[in-house]
Amino acid sequence: MPTPTKGPRLGGSPAHQRLMLANLSAQLFEHKRITTTETKAKRLRPFAERLITFAKRGDLASRRRVQSVIASRSRTNKGIVHELFENIAPAMAERDGGYTRITKIGNRKGDNAPMAVIELVLEPVSPKQAVVKEAEQAASKAAPAEEPAVEETEATETAEVEATEVEAAEAETEKKDQA
Amino acid sequence: MAVPKRKMSRSNTRARRSQWKATAPNLVKTVENGRVTYSLPHQAKVVTDSAGTALFLEYKGRKVADA
């Protein structure tokens, strides 16, 4: 559970804050990226990520729970709930939390409020982490020390051979160009 | 509505305003293509073309928003 927020509610009253967070999260799921103030973005993050967790669960109870938050008043928002459950949740299947990203973009002209972009992290989980996981699995198996070294040397050799081939091909093309 | 009873003297006004201070932002120094640039930390930067027109905001090699 996210830590309860300290200090005054957004917009002044608890009801206003609920509405603002519901609207902000609906717009986030519709557009995948919204620009808002830093404070709202920071408050929105745990709220929206919880809704995504419900969407990943994907059963009828969780769908009704999300609908009661996002689409209790607006019938058009039901489409956004559908979008969340059918498109966003599968894209987040491999990701364990951290579904949103907040980037600060400086102060707003007019009232100098610090602004931020909050967006859904829809890229696949970084290949680096997958490699690390594979390496750990390999290390847990027997004979971890020698095999990777052998593979590395082979890889470098093949890479060198390829490089020389590419260079030769380039030289040939250059000769043709000159002729 | 509450209103001031007395005119505020020029001296008092100026004494108050003399306390207004500007604070320098903490900038980070980075070297890009051999050129030293200063920028605000943890904030998206504006990417410009050669003519100096703002194109978009970028943070950590990722396009964040249109300028």
Side-chain angles (χ1 to χ4, degrees):
Chain A
M1 183 189 164
T3 324
T5 49
K6 299 243 170 68
R9 301 292 90 101
L10 293 177
S13 68
H16 196 174
Q17 167 159 325
R18 271 200 299 279
L19 282 168
M20 276 169 108
L21 289 175
N23 289 336
L24 282 167
S25 52
Q27 292 304 302
L28 176 64
F29 298 141
E30 189 181 355
H31 300 284
K32 317 291 185 275
R33 158 189 303 215
I34 55 173
T35 307
T36 179
T37 61
E38 259 181 52
T39 316
K40 280 181 196 160
K42 281 181 185 172
R43 294 280 186 89
L44 176 61
R45 172 174 238 173
F47 188 87
E49 293 196 354
R50 248 184 132 198
L51 295 181
I52 294 172
T53 310
F54 279 124
K56 281 174 78 173
R57 211 176 289 163
D59 54 352
L60 184 61
S62 55
R63 185 183 288 258
R64 286 194 173 141
R65 217 166 152 176
V66 172
Q67 264 176 15
S68 74
V69 174
I70 292 180
S72 58
R73 286 157 186 257
S74 153
R75 211 178 282 166
T76 53
N77 280 6
K78 269 191 141 179
I80 297 170
V81 176
H82 179 80
E83 162 82 10
L84 172 64
F85 274 70
E86 301 305 315
N87 298 336
I88 296 172
M92 301 290 187
E94 292 294 306
R95 197 169 284 281
D96 306 323
Y99 309 121
T100 58
R101 176 189 297 135
I102 295 176
T103 315
K104 292 163 190 172
I105 57 167
N107 295 0
R108 174 161 62 190
K109 199 187 267 185
D111 63 352
N112 213 27
M115 300 297 283
V117 169
I118 180 166
E119 59 189 327
L120 298 175
V121 184
L122 291 169
E123 296 98 74
V125 178
S126 75
K128 205 189 282 177
Q129 288 171 0
V131 167
V132 167
K133 202 177 273 180
E134 276 182 24
E136 282 174 352
Q137 284 172 355
S140 66
K141 286 176 185 172
E146 293 179 6
E147 284 180 4
V150 173
E151 282 174 7
E152 276 178 10
T153 50
E154 283 176 3
T156 50
E157 280 171 10
T158 51
E160 282 173 6
V161 170
E162 283 173 5
T164 50
E165 282 176 2
V166 168
E167 282 174 4
E170 283 177 358
E172 282 177 8
T173 51
E174 282 176 4
K175 282 175 188 171
K176 283 176 186 173
D177 289 345
Q178 286 172 358
Chain B
M1 196 183 88
V3 285
K5 188 172 188 176
R6 292 259 171 211
K7 177 188 167 82
M8 184 134 184
S9 73
R10 191 158 54 169
S11 158
N12 273 341
T13 302
R14 289 179 179 172
R16 186 183 73 249
R17 287 187 187 162
S18 72
Q19 300 304 310
W20 295 358
K21 290 176 189 74
T23 50
N26 293 318
L27 300 177
V28 288
K29 186 177 171 184
T30 47
V31 179
E32 287 174 5
N33 306 326
R35 197 190 301 165
V36 177
T37 53
Y38 294 90
S39 54
L40 288 164
H42 307 121
Q43 189 172 313
K45 286 181 207 165
V46 180
V47 176
T48 56
D49 63 3
S50 56
T53 341
L55 297 175
F56 54 87
L57 287 163
E58 186 198 58
Y59 187 67
K60 289 191 176 172
R62 194 178 276 130
K63 193 188 162 191
V64 175
D66 297 319

